[in-house]
Amino acid sequence: VVSTIPAEPAQAFAARDWGMLVGVAVTWGGSFLAIEIGLDHFAPTLVAFGRIAFGALALSVLPAARVPLPRSEWPQIALVGITWMAIPFVLFAVAQQWIDSSVAAMINACTPLMVALVAGLFLRQQPSRLQGAGLLVGFAGVAAISLPSVGSGSNVLGIALVLLAAFLYGFAFNLTAPLQRRNGALPVILRAQLVAAVLVLPAAIAGVPSSDFDGGSLLAVAALGALGTGLAVYWFASLIGSVGATRGAVAIYCVPVVAIALGVTLRDEPLHAAAVL
């Protein structure tokens, strides 16, 4: 996996890139609340499969997403599907059974740190001293955010699952950037979603007996898929293809602001001082 990831370009944000950054932050900020609403009636694996399936359905209606890709690209696309969607989406849904949506979003905000960490450890893109200090401060912030939510073993497990998902994102985003530049975002993301859907389907079927139908939860999962896993993923893949994985991942820093506001106002989730800091 590592040997196939080239160094990323150093390119500044254009106006279009800023627009995609804002769109990603707002859409993904609402995704954590949608997951929580989906979990009210559906098993975690069913929520994960639903968001992937609705995301793939939304992108499949676009002709540009159905453009054929070379067979040589499929191994990397499959890895993107595994490390961006199949495993992390299940991890987030399972974790949010035990931790609030706002906490999940805040811990998920360490993803840019994971992207830089993967680039430094495996791609030999070593950070400067200032950037290294920034990484240390960032991980200290993750610890400060997590500590107020550590009240039981299940909470600790939920936090650990989100951290694992973020670490996998570090690989996925570094893989996606060169794929997008070679093939475009839409066809790459659609095929990665199809791979993920096939992999998660057996677990989703196993989760059906423990689920019950509810229109509100279904609507939340549909929006989570079509918007969060469809449109926003396309925006994000385009963004990291344009400015690089490390710079593009900065969009995720903005996600918790939206998620916290929604969690506090709509789900009465607690707001800790450490989260504000």
Side-chain angles (χ1 to χ4, degrees):
V1 175
V2 172
S3 63
T4 61
I5 306 176
E8 64 178 39
Q11 182 174 326
F13 279 72
R16 178 174 178 269
D17 299 324
W18 283 110
M20 290 189 292
L21 186 150
V22 172
V24 167
V26 172
T27 306
W28 279 355
S31 294
F32 294 90
L33 178 63
I35 292 173
E36 199 160 286
I37 296 173
L39 288 172
D40 288 341
H41 293 273
F42 301 139
T45 53
L46 204 55
V47 171
F49 175 78
R51 69 181 297 188
I52 297 168
F54 280 111
L57 183 63
L59 292 185
S60 66
V61 302
L62 303 176
R66 301 194 298 270
V67 173
L69 295 179
R71 290 185 178 181
S72 59
E73 299 284 38
W74 272 95
Q76 289 188 55
I77 291 173
L79 285 172
V80 170
I82 294 169
T83 58
W84 188 343
M85 298 156 195
I87 299 177
F89 287 0
V90 172
L91 292 178
F92 273 109
V94 172
Q96 284 191 228
Q97 295 178 111
W98 305 311
I99 61 176
D100 291 334
S101 62
S102 56
V103 174
M106 286 186 289
I107 300 172
N108 177 64
C110 77
T111 296
L113 305 178
M114 297 297 190
V115 173
L117 184 64
V118 169
L121 291 177
F122 300 105
L123 307 184
R124 297 181 181 180
Q125 298 175 19
Q126 298 302 325
S128 66
R129 288 185 179 181
L130 182 60
Q131 291 169 331
L135 287 174
L136 291 176
V137 171
F139 281 114
V142 173
I145 287 169
S146 304
L147 286 175
S149 301
V150 179
S152 65
S154 58
N155 285 9
V156 173
L157 179 58
I159 291 169
L161 292 179
V162 174
L163 285 171
L164 176 58
F167 182 69
L168 291 173
Y169 282 164
F171 284 98
F173 297 169
N174 277 296
L175 281 165
T176 302
L179 277 172
Q180 189 276 340
R181 288 193 290 272
R182 292 194 300 266
N183 304 287
L186 282 172
V188 168
I189 295 304
L190 175 59
R191 284 157 180 80
Q193 289 175 344
L194 294 176
V195 169
V198 170
L199 293 176
V200 177
L201 180 59
I205 294 174
V208 170
S210 60
S211 305
D212 60 274
F213 178 80
D214 177 77
S217 290
L218 179 60
L219 183 60
V221 172
L224 174 66
L227 300 178
T229 312
L231 182 60
V233 167
Y234 162 61
W235 282 339
F236 187 73
S238 299
L239 180 64
I240 63 177
S242 174
V243 303
T246 302
R247 281 185 174 84
V250 171
I252 299 172
Y253 281 141
C254 307
V255 169
V257 178
V258 178
I260 290 171
L262 292 174
V264 170
T265 57
L266 300 181
R267 302 286 287 192
D268 293 324
E269 295 180 355
L271 180 61
H272 300 288
V276 177
L277 180 61

